[in-house]
Amino acid sequence: MDKSVMLKHFDEIRTRNDIPFTEVERYLSDRSLVDRPFNNADLLVVSTAGTSGKPGYFVYDPQEQAHIRAQYFRFMRAVLASITPGGPLRSAAIIVTGAHMIGYKMQQHLPPEFFRMIPVLREGRAVTVEETAAELADFNPQILTCFGSTLRMLTEYKESHPDFAWRPLALINTGATLERDVQQRALAAFDGVRIFDLYGSTDTGYIGWTCEQGSMHLNTDCMRIEILDEDNRPVADGEFGSIVISTFWHRSLPVIRYRLGDLMSVSTERCACGRSLPVVKELLGRENTLLYRRSGTGLAPVPQGVFMEMFETISGVRRFRLVQETPDRVTVSVVPLPDSTPDLAERVAQRVAPVFGEGASVEVRLVDALVPPASGKLLPVERLFDPAAERATAR
């Protein structure tokens, strides 16, 4: 099952008579109803951003909402054990506000003296980094939750504005795998900060989280997590595959063998923190960040980490976004550094093209900025075609 299957069979999957698909769709299609309850019920009815191309609708009763909060507080215990606030604790999140999304709707009633939501969009326009920095300096939260692309933006701002007054103790990355260079630069820019990953989704709740030792643990006491290959067979220990989840706590809209669309490998080793929960070996992000090149046997995978490391070694690149439109056509958007050389586009193409093999077309565009979508999640690497369909066509 995935989002498309759930939407198509919503009325067959749901276990409550008061959440028919037509009513849920009507409610979630009307943004003016964001701050109103669904049909005056005590249900949390939310949608996903649809960054994978498949938006989903989800429903949680009060007990299910309490379970999500419990998963979050488990993670926060590790965060709080790693920092010393030295005063009243304040937390903030940079997210899409005023939308039917779980991050906004579950946090909108938190005390404003403790928690602040900072929007990524305001009146339909993207909030500038200067505006975000001003809010952070004003509220001065010790803990900030945001997307990796937002953390990059704030890190670059701090690097160019050393007097930026905000002093975070913990940065929580969510929504996508954090690029290694962003983590290293953030640690250097914000002296003494700790960086944590919180891995979850509207679909399944919180799946994994970083402990004090820096390992990501999986909530396998709350859900069954299967790592499957392209033929839906379990992968060998330590190998990466697609994440398929069956939760133990969903009742309103059961989640059974749900294909999340992300790739992961799980370690066989225990963490030094002493927790018995499994540890993630590598989280590769969405399946559509796994690219492919042609090989003698058809299509061979190319993880996004290849390009994360590659672009760290190409001088003159501030940021990049690589989109594979077909197995043979790739577009790379590059934000150059001020001191980049005129041959930057050519150098990028020369490094990228060999990864995809002979005959692949690589177009490099130099741009002033990479504009995030409405969800705020800007994927550095993305695949637009279905590899299974490509294989079927080639047979």
Side-chain angles (χ1 to χ4, degrees):
M1 180 169 69
D2 60 13
K3 289 179 185 177
S4 296
V5 173
M6 179 170 279
L7 283 178
K8 184 177 180 181
H9 299 280
F10 191 95
D11 284 330
E12 300 166 55
I13 296 171
R14 63 182 170 87
T15 62
R16 296 177 55 134
N17 292 328
D18 58 346
I19 52 171
F21 178 79
T22 53
E23 287 294 302
V24 169
E25 185 175 43
R26 177 195 61 78
Y27 174 77
L28 294 176
S29 299
D30 189 344
R31 191 155 180 158
S32 70
L33 301 176
V34 165
D35 296 317
R36 301 182 190 177
F38 172 76
N39 288 349
N40 295 315
D42 57 354
L43 297 172
L44 180 69
V45 179
V46 294
S47 64
T48 60
T51 52
S52 64
K54 301 175 182 178
Y57 299 160
F58 298 89
V59 180
Y60 302 100
D61 67 21
Q63 285 184 290
E64 292 163 340
Q65 295 172 49
H67 190 96
I68 294 173
R69 290 190 178 94
Q71 292 174 327
Y72 178 74
F73 290 137
R74 164 189 270 175
F75 162 64
M76 286 305 297
R77 286 186 63 184
V79 174
L80 295 175
S82 306
I83 64 174
T84 305
L89 186 67
R90 292 179 301 278
S91 178
I94 301 177
I95 58 176
V96 177
T97 59
H100 287 287
M101 294 183 187
I102 197 167
Y104 171 72
K105 299 188 79 168
M106 287 199 72
Q107 300 176 112
Q108 64 185 135
H109 302 301
L110 291 176
E113 66 273 14
F114 162 74
F115 179 78
R116 179 178 294 187
M117 285 188 282
I118 300 175
V120 296
L121 296 171
R122 183 176 283 124
E123 297 178 351
R125 67 170 179 84
V127 174
T128 66
V129 64
E130 290 78 13
E131 291 174 302
T132 301
E135 284 212 52
L136 289 171
D138 172 65
F139 188 57
N140 196 28
Q142 297 99 327
I143 301 172
L144 176 69
T145 301
C146 64
F147 299 135
S149 54
T150 302
L151 182 53
R152 174 186 283 276
M153 179 181 69
L154 291 172
T155 299
E156 292 176 350
Y157 183 84
K158 174 65 175 177
E159 290 170 341
S160 60
H161 297 77
D163 57 346
F164 182 22
W166 176 50
R167 295 291 183 270
L169 298 178
L171 297 171
I172 300 173
N173 170 63
T174 186
T177 305
L178 185 63
E179 300 163 49
R180 187 171 62 184
D181 76 303
V182 176
Q183 179 168 340
Q184 293 172 342
R185 290 169 62 185
L187 290 171
F190 298 103
D191 185 46
V193 78
R194 292 286 303 271
I195 296 179
F196 298 85
D197 285 296
L198 181 58
Y199 175 48
S201 72
T202 303
D203 323 37
T204 60
Y206 295 111
I207 302 164
W209 45 277
T210 305
C211 73
E212 307 91 323
Q213 296 293 324
S215 299
M216 177 177 281
H217 292 273
L218 296 173
N219 290 328
T220 50
D221 54 346
C222 304
M223 58 187 66
R224 182 187 181 195
I225 300 177
E226 300 175 81
I227 310 298
L228 306 181
D229 64 18
E230 293 180 345
D231 296 316
N232 292 321
R233 297 173 301 192
V235 301
D237 290 344
E239 296 296 319
F240 77 85
S242 297
I243 304 171
V244 175
I245 291 177
S246 300
T247 61
F248 303 150
W249 53 275
H250 274 100
R251 299 178 305 173
S252 303
L253 197 66
V255 173
I256 301 172
R257 302 210 75 197
Y258 187 88
R259 186 173 288 274
L260 195 61
D262 287 348
L263 297 167
M264 177 190 288
S265 60
V266 180
S267 175
T268 57
E269 299 180 1
R270 291 290 183 90
C271 179
C273 74
R275 293 179 177 90
S276 60
L277 295 171
V279 172
V280 173
K281 180 180 178 182
E282 188 173 10
L283 179 61
L284 299 179
R286 294 189 183 277
E287 287 180 343
N288 65 339
T289 65
L290 181 64
L291 310 184
Y292 288 86
R293 60 179 176 82
R294 294 203 184 275
S295 68
T297 57
L299 294 179
V302 182
Q304 72 167 355
V306 169
F307 301 100
M308 299 296 103
E309 295 183 8
M310 176 188 295
F311 277 87
E312 286 181 22
T313 64
I314 301 177
S315 62
V317 175
R318 179 187 294 276
R319 298 187 66 185
F320 81 96
R321 173 168 161 75
L322 187 150
V323 178
Q324 187 179 20
E325 299 161 23
T326 72
D328 304 309
R329 188 169 69 248
V330 176
T331 300
V332 187
S333 299
V334 174
V335 180
L337 289 168
D339 59 352
S340 64
T341 58
D343 65 342
L344 177 60
E346 182 181 355
R347 288 190 289 111
V348 169
Q350 288 175 346
R351 293 289 300 278
V352 172
V355 176
F356 295 98
E358 186 177 352
S361 169
V362 176
E363 178 185 356
V364 180
R365 304 168 180 169
L366 300 184
V367 298
D368 294 330
L370 300 178
V371 181
S375 67
K377 299 178 185 178
L378 184 65
L379 300 176
V381 171
E382 186 175 8
R383 186 192 73 246
L384 302 184
F385 67 91
D386 181 358
E390 286 287 335
R391 292 189 180 97
T393 302
R395 290 193 183 107

